[in-house]
Amino acid sequence: MVGGKNASLGEMYRNLTLKGVKIPNGFAVTAHAYREFIEKSGLKDKIREILSDLDTGNIANLQERGAKVRSAILDAELSDELKQTIIEAYGHMCEQYGENTDVAVRSSATAEDLPDASFAGQQDTYLNIKGPLQLIEASKKCIASLFTDRAISYRVDKGFDHFSIALSIGVQKMVRSDKGSAGVMFSIDTESGFKDVAFITAAYGLGENVVQGAVNPDEYYVFKPTLAQGKRPIISKTLGSKELKMIYTTGGTKPTKNIPTTKEEQEVFALNEDEILSLAKWAVIIEDHYSAKAGHHKPMDMEWAKDGVSGELFIVQARPETVQSTKNRNVLEEFVLNEKSKILIEGGSVGAKIGAGDVNVIKSVQDIGNFKKGQVLVTDMTDPDWEPIMKIAAAIVTNRGGRTCHAAIISRELGIPCVVGCKTATEALKTGQQVTVSCAEGDQGAVYEGALKFEVKTTDLSSVPKTKTKIMMNVGTPSQAFEQSFIPNDGVGLAREEFVINSYIRIHPLALLKYDELKKDDAHMGLIHKIDELTSTHKDKTQFYIDKLSEGIGTIAAAYYPKDVIVRLSDFKTNEYVNLIGGHLFEPTEDNPMIGFRGASRYYSEAFKDAFVLECRALKKVREDFGLSNVKIMVPFCRTVEEGRKVIDIMRENGLVRGENGLEVYVMAEIPANVILVDEFADIFDGFSIGTNDLTQLALGVDRDSELVAHVYDERNEAVKRLVKRVIQGAKAKGRKIGICGQAPSDYPEFAQFLVECGIDSISLNPDTVIKTRIAIAETEKKLGK
């Protein structure tokens, strides 16, 4: 009767406002009214005649037919009875909200929000409509928008008859987000389909800019399982540029307009943490309601708005998510680039696919007739009018938009790679240029020069054997953690902090700790400017380090929750730390940093101890504030038992108490001393993880950074294997867990088999080697009768 959108709003208003979800009130004009209008006015026959020779593959034909149908609808008159009924319903709204109340007029097609077709943005929305005359005019425009070019094309593609679909008009009280903020929210990760997060985007002003992709919004992830436990698990916050905001106009022909945001607005998040958590809780309530009704998990796609006058949050729309929720999770599909070239432009990646073709830069929707199948569409941003050519593109690249904008949603639905928010793609890329668009390398999508070779690997996960030996994963990149979590695994044996520090923080921790001192010296103004630019969201610069490190670790821990995630404390060498912003001021010069000031020796030294405390505070935030108690901690390059005790003492002083809330502390077994004194190290640590990279270096006396002796370096050397066997036996004798996170089992399946024969508890592998190594280990266990 009222289409998916209006039905959903009515259902939520009736059922979920009782659970604290705020929905602005409104009314619906039924599909029956629409049918009566097009039949009694003679429009049905007229539309059928206009579309009799429709060819959606011919853009000019589609545009001409669409324009004629819309013009016919706008020229027709609504019946007096229908006009009066709409005005009467609007009068009831004015009684509730005040005279001439402002409303949004939206379409709700009767085929919308189906499991395999979202119909996202196919019809138009009219905002800030006031008074009966504007409302009647907007209602007719809404009906006409059932026959936009993109809607006609979409229905043909999906196999829907134009007259099997009717349109209901939704009239809903406007939320004054023109003075606040608005955005889109999913109860699932839109890129990977990981179901345990709520994903929220936000920008200032009315929400149309986020939906259309006119701005690059803020992005937030909230972990749902520990949110339910009362924790505050905002595991990721990414600042968007938010260059525009849509506001009301006073006078003029259009009820809304876009204005630039201020620098101050751009440099702060559009939502505070309490608001982010409130929205995430609503996402869970809404998802739970529709899942219970469907009898299975039903992720939802929602739009929200914050009233800048009252400060209240509202949900203004909810529909089923139609891409990730319909995927076959038993088949793992991996796109892999086999070669690299010059990166021409980067932006936010949508999906995890790769596409290649000739660039076609199109700046206006008027020119979409020039686009050819298999080209790479490069444009400022898309809206539903671009849909006829999006479906034939090899890939899409936009200047503007975030991962919930129109280009992103349609690309996911079409299954093509899309890179959004590139800022200058239409200048950097030239029509006719051959490129490869890759979204297969994490949250940063890249456009490479030339047509590069890539492959698609598919694995039937139901055929991957189980093993008694735990198969864990080495993970360093938070942005790939959700996607990689679908690979069969027993948790994370090595989560590296270095990638988070290098990519998400980029500043030396001591430069942040000594920020105020550096600021006093004019010689450091360039450095201070860089720090200010990266930390604009934080007045307290050390809190920036804690927050970004905790978000990176928290994202990895959430992806594998409740399985163990073993986080190795930072293990940069001096020649790596010096490359961080400000690092040259605090790092000594060493002739051989591989065996110098690294690992445990840093944490208790007066030169670095304060920086280590920041790491402890970040880990405490992950375990306590986020509730991710599956995080275990591992100490790298611990030369002596006494060093181990000192590190454990500093951790305890900063709230990380071994044994408290299930906290286990492991040590890397990567120095011969760890093997020789395995029984003594076992007295102070809960377990070991063998690091074959450093163990091989130190056993064979080879600098693994030197190519001159690289031919000697081999983890399969008998001396290394004997050390490995001995430390496994020693750990087992003391009742301690022991695994391996070094490179050897990832590179050599026979080394993995050797470890199983030695009785190792777990093997942690690079994600791309997990499945083939698991198969090899299953065969070894079978031979050994395990």
Side-chain angles (χ1 to χ4, degrees), residues 335-337 339-360 371 374-379 393-398 411 415-420 422 425 429 433-442 444-455:
F335 279 70
V336 182
L337 261 183
E339 53 183 342
K340 295 279 182 83
S341 65
K342 180 184 175 185
I343 294 177
L344 302 173
I345 196 106
E346 292 181 296
S349 67
V350 176
K353 295 187 176 183
I354 300 170
D358 292 339
V359 166
N360 193 338
F371 192 81
Q375 292 182 326
V376 174
L377 172 61
V378 179
T379 187
I396 296 170
V397 183
T398 69
S411 295
I416 59 175
C418 176
V419 181
V420 295
C422 297
L429 304 174
Q433 183 178 20
Q434 211 172 46
V435 297
T436 300
V437 180
S438 173
C439 294
E441 299 157 277
Q444 277 290 97
V447 181
Y448 291 95
E449 192 172 50
L452 304 180
K453 291 176 184 171
F454 65 92
E455 61 181 309

Side-chain angles (χ1 to χ4, degrees), residues 570-586:
S570 62
D571 192 25
F572 280 127
K573 293 87 182 168
T574 49
N575 61 325
E576 294 166 335
Y577 258 126
V578 78
N579 292 325
L580 294 173
I581 294 167
H584 65 285
L585 298 174
F586 305 101

Side-chain angles (χ1 to χ4, degrees), residues 223-245:
F223 187 55
K224 296 188 292 188
T226 56
L227 179 70
Q229 298 167 16
K231 301 295 184 180
R232 296 176 64 83
I234 304 172
I235 58 171
S236 177
K237 290 169 71 180
T238 304
L239 188 70
S241 50
K242 310 182 293 291
E243 302 97 336
L244 299 171
K245 65 176 172 182

Side-chain angles (χ1 to χ4, degrees), residues 736-753:
R736 294 300 189 210
K737 297 175 186 175
I738 184 155
I740 186 168
C741 62
Q743 188 67 27
S746 288
D747 288 345
Y748 312 114
E750 69 271 23
F751 196 91
Q753 291 168 341

Side-chain angles (χ1 to χ4, degrees), residues 523-656:
H524 299 309
M525 289 315 293
L527 171 61
I528 289 297
H529 177 69
K530 282 184 188 173
I531 293 173
D532 286 346
E533 202 171 25
L534 289 169
T535 62
S536 64
T537 53
H538 288 71
K539 286 182 181 174
D540 180 344
K541 302 307 175 187
T542 56
Q543 192 62 45
F544 169 80
Y545 191 89
I546 294 163
D547 288 349
K548 298 316 284 184
L549 186 54
S550 63
E551 287 169 19
I553 295 168
T555 298
I556 295 170
Y560 295 88
Y561 183 88
K563 300 169 190 170
D564 285 356
V565 171
I566 301 169
V567 177
R568 186 180 69 187
L569 298 168
S570 62
D571 192 25
F572 280 127
K573 293 87 182 168
T574 49
N575 61 325
E576 294 166 335
Y577 258 126
V578 78
N579 292 325
L580 294 173
I581 294 167
H584 65 285
L585 298 174
F586 305 101
E587 291 298 325
T589 302
E590 294 186 283
D591 289 334
N592 193 344
M594 266 293 180
I595 52 173
F597 190 38
R598 61 175 285 203
S601 60
R602 274 188 176 262
Y603 310 147
Y604 61 85
S605 74
E606 289 306 314
F608 194 79
K609 181 181 172 183
D610 290 344
F612 177 60
V613 167
L614 300 184
E615 279 182 55
C616 293
R617 288 172 62 188
L619 284 158
K620 186 172 186 282
K621 182 176 179 179
V622 172
R623 286 180 51 82
E624 296 182 9
D625 294 6
F626 296 172
L628 295 164
S629 56
N630 58 323
V631 165
K632 319 294 182 188
I633 296 172
M634 184 155 66
V635 181
F637 222 76
C638 187
R639 295 171 169 99
T640 68
V641 176
E642 187 52 38
E643 272 198 329
R645 287 198 181 94
K646 286 179 181 177
V647 174
I648 288 169
D649 286 345
I650 296 169
M651 286 168 56
R652 185 190 304 111
E653 288 164 13
N654 288 281
L656 295 171

